[in-house]
Amino acid sequence: TLLANNFFFIVGSLSSALSPGILCLVVSRCVVGIGVGIASALVHVYIGEVVPAGRRGEHGAILVMMGTSGILVANLVCWAISDWRWVFALGIVPALLQVIWGSAIMPESTLWHKQRPKSLAMARRSFQVAAIEEGMDCENPECEEAILESTASWANL
């Protein structure tokens, strides 16, 4: 879902850069805004599912710091380029990098594996890796129970 969300950034940035008028530009920026909103919600859920409990706060803080740094870099690029069409067009670069690089290194969450019966073994392995990082005993039957009994949905939010 995170990788599919890049569609909004790519389409919105390209249509912003190529917009023939103000109405197209406003609609294009709204498309990018939808992508930002979805990403803002999904990244926190992803961190909650993938990162061990003891390190979630650290990763949340890094996420906020990277967002702030991204705004600074975007403003510096805008100042250096001074052509609004190129600034909007460059918005596709982070989205393309995430599609190419992110699809190769971003692990699926344990919940993603659990929802696919063929991937349950991968869910067990992901949970065991997280348990080892937390200092838990993976041979303990409670690990298996935690995998099989854990449920999450939008209602839990």
Side-chain angles (χ1 to χ4, degrees):
T1 307
L2 276 173
L3 296 176
N5 187 46
N6 287 308
F7 168 80
F8 290 105
F9 292 111
I10 293 169
V11 169
S13 295
L14 282 178
S15 59
S16 293
L18 302 174
S19 65
I22 190 76
L23 181 62
C24 184
L25 180 62
V26 169
V27 170
S28 300
R29 299 309 295 158
C30 286
V31 169
V32 172
I34 290 169
V36 169
I38 292 171
S40 296
L42 288 180
V43 169
H44 293 286
V45 173
Y46 180 77
I47 287 173
E49 290 180 359
V50 174
V51 177
R55 302 197 63 199
R56 287 184 191 145
E58 175 185 335
H59 283 265
I62 291 171
L63 173 68
V64 172
M65 188 178 73
M66 291 295 111
T68 305
S69 301
I71 292 169
L72 173 66
V73 169
N75 282 314
L76 293 174
V77 167
C78 185
W79 173 75
I81 292 178
S82 299
D83 182 8
W84 66 271
R85 289 192 185 270
W86 278 104
V87 171
F88 286 149
L90 286 174
I92 67 168
V93 173
L96 289 175
L97 286 175
Q98 186 174 358
V99 168
I100 295 166
W101 185 53
S103 62
I105 66 166
M106 285 177 60
E108 292 87 4
S109 68
T110 305
L111 179 62
W112 184 90
H113 287 294
K114 185 179 172 243
Q115 292 173 343
R116 288 150 183 82
K118 293 181 180 180
S119 295
L120 192 56
M122 288 294 294
R124 286 186 179 101
R125 197 184 100 213
S126 298
F127 190 83
Q128 288 171 349
V129 168
I132 289 169
E133 289 178 359
E134 287 294 308
M136 293 172 53
D137 178 19
C138 289
E139 301 304 322
N140 188 338
E142 291 176 6
C143 283
E144 183 74 19
E145 289 174 20
I147 294 169
L148 296 175
E149 291 177 7
S150 67
T151 58
S153 68
W154 285 105
N156 293 91
L157 294 176

